[in-house]
């Protein structure tokens, strides 16, 4: 009892207004049968929007329940929300929850609905019909250009844009178009760009590059056909220091990428040939002799330089010294030593005279060795690769083959196809030789097909197997 009294004292006193309201009868509210919130049914616009976004499957949004979402509550809520007489499954709480698992979703929910796809297809079809393969439209256009006016006669560089002589002012967009046409006229598109654009439009470039794993640049190591000359234009070897007169001699070093040039400007130049810069190594100017012949000897350690003088010069490449040699010791003084050839081995020099004589000189000691006589004036000589044989050709179209170990003539033959021969060359294996004449014709011969006339005679009858007659000037060795 005491406890009840204490509890009664602790209760707060109610006011008179509260007491009056408590005496009024309370409103009778219907008790809800389900404590969950009521979801209004969808309107037609909402249903169309749902079909547009999530597809038009039979199961509605509830199809995503197969991906792992428990939709039991949503289904019960949908049943209750159909009190207005509509029987639409999955239109309760289900639209509020879904899983974005397009990989596992049914086909009805992967893409847009059939209606939207059809509408999109119609739009794209219209674009394709209107544009086709035409260029894409500009991202934006400047209205000021259309409203602007450009005077063509005001400046000299805009007068060329006139279509008629009396034309003075044009609109801004017309001015822009004429500028583009003028630029295309001055700078036409190259042929390779036009071909590439055509291939790209046809879809061939990407297909060819991506349909194979082969290298983009094909490389071949096959030999050229026997009847084809492959020529490539590269940078001039003497671009670092060009000659000031006609170049008379040019030769590569036997063991390194060094080139010598010499000419009538009295200067011998050496270049390091790399195909890119071709830097000059050294130049030697000889005051009293225009150079007509220059050759490497002694394995490239020395250069012999001669001209229309009674003497010649020996240039030591390693030391950079120049030595003057006064003619050929042991022989009467010759009027000119301008025609000179050095052996491939670099151990002998051959000086030619108009009297049909070939004077052999040691490249090391500069001493006279032997004289080889011919019937006519000597035009050119060529040493074999081993240096044991010498071939010579004269003005009478006769070719001589000399054995330098015995200093005697092995054979000679007449070439009726040549006209005033000027130079002679032999292959390294001695199987072929070539001769050039004053008319610009180069004849190629096969020494293995030469036949004698019979008996013990060594006089051959030869015919060239190939004649190159593209040149129009005299052939120089």
């Amino acid at each position: 009892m005491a406890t009840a009294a204490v509890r009664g004292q602790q209760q707060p006193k109610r006011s008179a207004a509260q007491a009056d309201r408590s005496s009024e009868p309370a409103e009778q509210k219907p008790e809800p049968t389900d404590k969950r919130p009521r979801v209004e049914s969808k309107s037609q616009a909402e249903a169309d929007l749902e079909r547009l976004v999530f597809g038009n499957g039979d199961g509605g949004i509830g199809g995503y329940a197969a991906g792992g979402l428990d939709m039991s509550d949503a289904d019960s809520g949908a049943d209750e929300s159909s009190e207005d007489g509509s029987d639409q499954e999955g239109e309760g709480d289900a639209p509020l929850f879904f899983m974005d698992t397009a990989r596992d979703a049914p086909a009805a929910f992967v893409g847009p609905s059939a209606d939207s796809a059809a509408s999109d297809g119609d739009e794209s079809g219209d674009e394709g019909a209107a544009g086709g393969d035409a260029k894409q439209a500009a991202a934006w256009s400047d209205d000021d250009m259309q409203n602007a006016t450009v005077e063509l006669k005001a400046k000299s560089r805009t007068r060329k844009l006139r279509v008629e002589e009396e034309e003075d002012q044009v609109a801004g967009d017309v001015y822009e178009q004429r500028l583009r046409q003028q630029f295309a006229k001055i700078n036409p598109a190259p042929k390779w760009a036009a071909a590439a654009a055509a291939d790209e439009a046809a879809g061939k470039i990407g297909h060819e590059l991506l349909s194979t794993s082969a290298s983009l640049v094909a490389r071949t190591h096959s030999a050229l056909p026997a009847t084809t000359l492959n020529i490539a234009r590269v940078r001039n070897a003497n671009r670092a220091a060009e000659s000031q007169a006609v170049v008379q001699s040019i030769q590569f070093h036997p063991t390194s990428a060094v080139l010598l040039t010499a000419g009538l400007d009295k200067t011998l130049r050496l270049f390091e040939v790399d195909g890119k810069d071709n830097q000059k190594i050294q130049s030697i100017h000889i005051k009293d002799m225009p150079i007509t012949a220059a050759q490497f000897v002694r394995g490239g350690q020395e250069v012999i330089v001669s001209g229309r003088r009674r003497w010649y010069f020996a240039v030591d490449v390693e030391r950079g010294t120049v030595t003057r040699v006064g003619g050929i010791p042991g022989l009467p003084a010759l009027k000119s030593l301008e025609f000179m050839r050095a052996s491939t081995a670099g151990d002998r020099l051959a000086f030619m005279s108009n009297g049909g004589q070939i004077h052999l000189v040691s490249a090391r000691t500069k001493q006279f060795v032997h004289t080889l006589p011919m019937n006519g004036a000597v035009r050119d000589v060529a040493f074999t690769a081993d240096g044991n044989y010498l071939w010579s050709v004269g003005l009478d179209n006769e070719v001589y083959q000399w054995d330098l170990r015995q200093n005697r003539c092995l054979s000679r033959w007449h070439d009726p196809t040549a006209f005033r021969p000027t130079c002679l060359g032999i292959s390294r294996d001695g199987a072929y030789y070539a001769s050039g004449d004053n008319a610009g014709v180069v004849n190629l011969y096969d020494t293995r097909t030469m036949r004698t006339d019979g008996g013990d005679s060594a006089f051959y009858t030869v015919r060239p197997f190939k004649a190159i007659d593209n040149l129009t000037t005299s052939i120089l060795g």
Side-chain angles (χ1 to χ4, degrees), residues 220-236:
T220 176
H221 300 283
S222 60
L224 288 172
T227 58
T228 302
L229 291 177
N230 189 18
I231 301 175
R233 181 69 170 89
V234 295
R235 289 187 174 183
N236 295 337

Side-chain angles (χ1 to χ4, degrees), residues 400-418:
Y400 293 75
Q401 184 180 14
W402 306 89
D403 187 349
L404 299 183
R405 294 169 296 184
Q406 303 176 9
N407 292 326
R408 70 183 185 91
C409 179
L410 295 179
S411 60
R412 66 186 179 91
W413 56 89
H414 181 75
D415 184 6
T417 60

Side-chain angles (χ1 to χ4, degrees), residues 248-265:
Q248 296 291 322
S249 292
I250 178 172
Q251 186 186 16
F252 279 96
H253 193 275
T255 58
S256 61
V258 176
L259 178 73
L260 72 80
T261 62
L264 301 180
D265 59 351

Side-chain angles (χ1 to χ4, degrees), residues 352-359 371-379 402:
M352 296 164 278
S353 67
N354 291 330
Q357 295 177 333
I358 304 172
H359 305 290
T371 297
L372 304 176
M374 291 178 56
N375 293 335
V378 186
R379 302 300 297 177
W402 306 89

Side-chain angles (χ1 to χ4, degrees), residues 27 110 114 183 253 286 329 347 358 386 388 404 407 437 446 475:
E27 267 187 40
V110 173
F183 179 83
H253 193 275
I286 300 175
D347 58 344
I358 304 172
D386 54 8
N388 294 330
L404 299 183
N407 292 326
D437 59 19
D446 188 350
I475 310 299

